[in-house]
């Protein structure tokens, strides 16, 4: 199985234009993401999929590989689907371009799970540590069956704990691995009902009968959504804040 790591890097952002080029301790964020992804032992190829020449130039300047993609893609999945037409592979791992602290061990775990469930999309979850995150709609929750396959994703506290029993809620991490044919079928499907209600793209897969294997990890994503998040990442890198 040839596995390709793809880092979508869009220049435009409502809250943070040019985000992939933002400096973190003097190094562009896209470079930090790329270097972390390259540490994975399961990826044969790593590429940045971008819509902007400036990002492509920066990636090539530090020795990385960048692919130019269309500017009108609505999602990272759409952008990766275009990459499948340009970079040969059997399985494509979508790594968010705004997670400079992504763990290569987690990428390896996703690929290993894919080898055991080759027809499934693979993603990840981590136990929610702070009670307030359970009700936070910006923290997406995932519920899985006894075999580790996703039953549902929600912005609400799912399942609703009417009984009051002790329960561990899980946060969904936005890291995905797709078999090539599944990815290309997925992006051709119209948005589904639950997807439109929750504004969660992955629900389109569930509603259309695709399996999603969910790997559990201790790692918690630290994304950069705003310029203020840069300082937090720099503190983590400097050892003054733990994650």
């Amino acid at each position: 199985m040839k596995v390709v790591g793809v880092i979508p890097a869009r220049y435009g952002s409502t809250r943070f234009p040019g985000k992939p080029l933002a400096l973190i301790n003097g190094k562009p964020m896209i470079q930090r993401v790329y270097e972390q992804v390259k540490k994975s032992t399961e990826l044969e190829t790593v590429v940045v999929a971008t819509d902007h020449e400036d990002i492509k130039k920066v990636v090539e300047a530090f020795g990385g590989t960048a692919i130019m993609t269309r500017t009108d893609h609505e999602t990272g999945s759409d952008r990766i689907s275009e990459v499948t037409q340009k970079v040969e592979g059997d399985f494509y791992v979508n790594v968010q371009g705004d997670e400079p602290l992504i763990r290569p061990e987690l990428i390896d775990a996703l690929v290993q799970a894919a080898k055991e469930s080759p027809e499934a999309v693979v993603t990840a979850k981590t136990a929610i540590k702070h009670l307030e995150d359970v009700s936070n709609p910006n923290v997406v929750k995932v519920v899985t069956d006894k075999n580790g396959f996703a039953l549902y994703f929600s912005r609400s506290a799912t399942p609703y704990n009417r009984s009051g029993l002790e329960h561990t809620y899980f946060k969904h991490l936005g890291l995905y691995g797709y078999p090539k044919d599944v990815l290309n079928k997925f992006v051709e499907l119209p948005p589904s009902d639950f997807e439109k209600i929750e504004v969660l793209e992955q629900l389109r897969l569930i509603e259309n009968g695709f399996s999603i294997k969910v790997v559990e990890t201790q790692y918690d994503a630290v994304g950069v959504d705003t310029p203020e998040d840069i300082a937090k990442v720099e503190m983590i890198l400097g050892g003054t804040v733990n994650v």
Side-chain angles (χ1 to χ4, degrees):
M1 183 171 73
K2 181 178 180 180
V3 186
V4 180
V6 186
I7 308 168
R10 187 171 63 91
Y11 188 89
S13 170
T14 303
R15 290 186 291 178
F16 198 168
K19 181 167 63 171
L21 302 180
L23 297 180
I24 299 176
N25 286 345
K27 186 181 290 188
M29 178 163 65
I30 190 61
Q31 182 176 355
R32 290 194 176 275
V33 177
Y34 190 93
E35 289 174 349
Q36 286 297 103
V37 175
K38 284 286 286 185
K39 294 176 185 176
S40 166
T41 60
E42 295 283 354
L43 300 179
E44 186 169 327
T45 305
V46 178
V47 299
V48 173
T50 186
D51 61 355
H52 202 282
E53 280 289 346
D54 286 353
I55 296 174
K56 183 174 186 288
K57 289 176 182 176
V58 166
V59 172
E60 291 176 342
F62 65 70
T65 301
I67 303 282
M68 289 299 298
T69 54
R70 302 201 322 259
T71 60
D72 60 346
H73 289 306
E74 293 187 7
T75 70
S77 301
D78 293 326
R79 199 171 303 282
I80 292 173
S81 180
E82 182 180 347
V83 171
T84 68
Q85 311 308 314
K86 301 177 178 182
V87 181
E88 186 60 37
D90 303 305
F91 190 79
Y92 294 79
V93 180
N94 177 353
V95 181
Q96 302 290 342
D98 57 5
E99 289 194 17
L101 304 177
I102 185 70
R103 302 282 180 85
E105 299 88 352
L106 178 55
I107 297 171
D108 291 343
L110 252 68
V111 177
Q112 290 157 9
K115 291 176 180 178
E116 297 174 3
S117 304
E119 301 301 318
V121 173
V122 185
T123 190
K125 68 178 182 179
T126 190
I128 292 178
K129 302 175 181 65
H130 305 290
L131 184 60
E132 61 269 22
D133 285 343
V134 174
S135 57
N136 183 349
N138 294 316
V139 177
V140 178
K141 275 66 68 174
V142 59
V143 178
T144 56
D145 66 17
K146 293 184 181 299
N147 295 313
F149 288 90
L151 293 170
Y152 194 68
F153 297 84
S154 182
R155 297 183 183 278
S156 299
T158 303
Y160 176 73
N161 194 351
R162 182 177 180 180
S163 66
L165 294 173
E166 185 175 344
H167 178 73
T168 300
Y169 286 86
F170 285 91
K171 171 184 176 180
H172 175 232
L173 303 180
L175 178 72
Y176 293 94
Y178 299 95
K180 180 178 180 178
D181 61 334
V182 172
L183 173 60
N184 289 327
K185 290 176 184 175
F186 166 51
V187 298
E188 291 298 322
L189 293 169
S192 63
D193 291 341
F194 290 148
E195 174 188 2
K196 289 186 284 188
I197 290 169
E198 295 256 20
V199 192
L200 294 175
E201 184 187 27
Q202 61 270 39
L203 290 173
R204 192 189 319 170
L205 288 163
I206 290 178
E207 287 189 77
N208 284 281
F210 292 98
S211 296
I212 305 178
K213 180 71 173 180
V214 186
V215 175
E216 184 176 349
T217 179
Q218 298 299 312
Y219 165 75
D220 193 359
V222 182
V224 174
D225 295 318
T226 67
E228 291 73 25
D229 292 331
I230 295 289
K232 179 180 179 181
V233 172
E234 288 180 335
M235 287 190 291
I236 294 170
L237 289 170
T240 58
V241 174
N242 294 320
V243 292

